[in-house]
Amino acid sequence: MPGQDNQSQPSPTAGNVEENEDEALVWEQIKSEALQDAESEPALASYLYSTVLSHSSLARSLSFHLGNKLCSSTLLSTLLYDLFLNTFSSDPSILSAAVADLRAARYRDPACISFSHCLLNYKGFLAIQTHRVAHKLWLEDRKPLALSLQSRISDVFAVDIHPGARIGKGVLLDHATGVVIGETAVVGNNVSILHHVTLGGTGKVSGDRHPRLGDGVLIGAGATILGNVKIGEGAKIGAGSVVLIDVPPWTTAVGNPATLVGGKEKPKVHEDVPGESMDHTSFISQWSDYMI
């Protein structure tokens, strides 16, 4: 938030312990929810057992579920299961990010009734977790397999994220349908993005050509952000806006083409973290003061 002092950071070891404990707590909650659902809805019992209750860890459950979601006649679920599980095991930060994404969906979206509901049914969550694996493959120069996963994400979840894009943790793709994120895009931590959002380029320019989103940003449904522009920390982009310019931290941009609420010289600054509060409309009363 504006003027917030930097806090001392815990040691890496302490951070790892906290992340492991958080993962264990979320996994226990998921199993408890799945067991309750299986008992109350027998038609789902077999599905819940095979997807959640038969597994010893969140990594194994998520790997199994993604493998079955993304497999095809020529891309076997067993191959994908091994790929996902090996990636989660070799890079604990990816699973830690998945836990943060689960929490983001559970606590930001009032339609998310449980952690297990998010794990099993939220295609935005599943698309991001698959992307994290594809991104690691991309960085390891295993680009054909990374691009193949990108294609499967698009086919199955209707979300198109280039494996080169960098995405933080605690990210919510709400509804997710039609989200497009380009190769050199950067998405910070605790960001929320609604459906039909495009983080795209402006043409055939190479190099850094996609938007960079700071931490805590909120992007409304149908917004389009084009080019190597920076959306500052805690900024808010109104639904349907077309953004072609940098947006300063803690401000709101709306319209086509987008302009800053309050004007370029003295834009209005908000105090909340939009990516977490999910407040899409607080700018309306402020914006009306500047409308003719």
Side-chain angles (χ1 to χ4, degrees), residues 8 66 158 181 189 222 282:
S8 60
L66 289 175
I181 301 178
N189 299 323
S282 62

Side-chain angles (χ1 to χ4, degrees), residues 11-224:
S11 68
T13 301
N16 291 339
V17 171
E18 291 177 359
E19 288 173 356
N20 290 338
E21 290 177 348
D22 195 31
E23 177 192 333
L25 288 172
V26 170
W27 174 236
E28 287 302 316
Q29 181 66 28
I30 289 171
K31 289 193 295 182
S32 175
E33 292 166 353
L35 181 60
Q36 182 177 2
D37 289 343
E39 292 173 347
S40 64
E41 194 61 72
L44 293 175
S46 178
Y47 167 67
L48 292 168
Y49 178 81
S50 63
T51 309
V52 176
L53 297 172
S54 66
H55 298 283
S56 59
S57 67
L58 176 59
R60 291 182 177 275
S61 174
L62 182 56
S63 298
F64 178 86
H65 190 42
L66 289 175
N68 279 280
K69 281 282 188 181
L70 295 166
C71 67
S72 68
S73 59
T74 54
L75 192 61
L76 301 182
S77 61
T78 50
L79 182 151
L80 290 173
Y81 172 81
D82 289 340
L83 172 65
F84 291 129
L85 185 58
N86 288 338
T87 303
F88 295 146
S89 300
S90 65
D91 190 346
S93 68
I94 295 180
L95 196 62
S96 173
V99 173
D101 295 345
L102 280 166
R103 288 192 174 279
R106 180 68 182 93
Y107 297 125
R108 291 181 212 164
D109 184 0
C112 186
I113 61 175
S114 66
F115 284 110
S116 62
H117 173 48
C118 177
L119 172 68
L120 297 175
N121 302 322
Y122 266 45
K123 66 179 185 177
F125 168 78
L126 298 171
I128 292 178
Q129 308 325 309
T130 310
H131 165 76
R132 296 193 194 284
V133 175
H135 181 64
K136 185 173 178 61
L137 294 171
W138 185 262
L139 295 179
E140 294 173 347
D141 205 30
R142 300 174 67 184
K143 293 183 178 180
L145 184 53
L147 292 168
S148 180
L149 284 181
Q150 177 194 2
S151 177
R152 292 303 297 154
I153 296 170
S154 180
D155 290 344
V156 175
F157 302 126
V159 175
D160 192 356
I161 310 175
H162 191 283
R166 291 177 286 164
I167 296 181
K169 62 182 182 179
V171 174
L172 171 64
L173 296 187
D174 196 359
H175 300 290
T177 300
V179 169
V180 177
I181 301 178
E183 178 183 2
T184 62
V186 178
V187 177
N189 299 323
N190 302 316
V191 168
S192 293
I193 298 174
L194 275 289
H195 49 288
H196 292 293
V197 164
T198 296
L199 306 181
T202 56
K204 296 183 179 179
V205 177
S206 60
D208 289 338
R209 60 195 186 278
H210 296 99
R212 293 160 290 153
L213 276 54
D215 295 345
V217 167
L218 173 63
I219 311 294
T224 298

Side-chain angles (χ1 to χ4, degrees), residues 214-235:
D215 295 345
V217 167
L218 173 63
I219 311 294
T224 298
I225 308 174
L226 299 177
N228 184 19
V229 298
K230 183 176 181 180
I231 310 302
E233 179 182 2

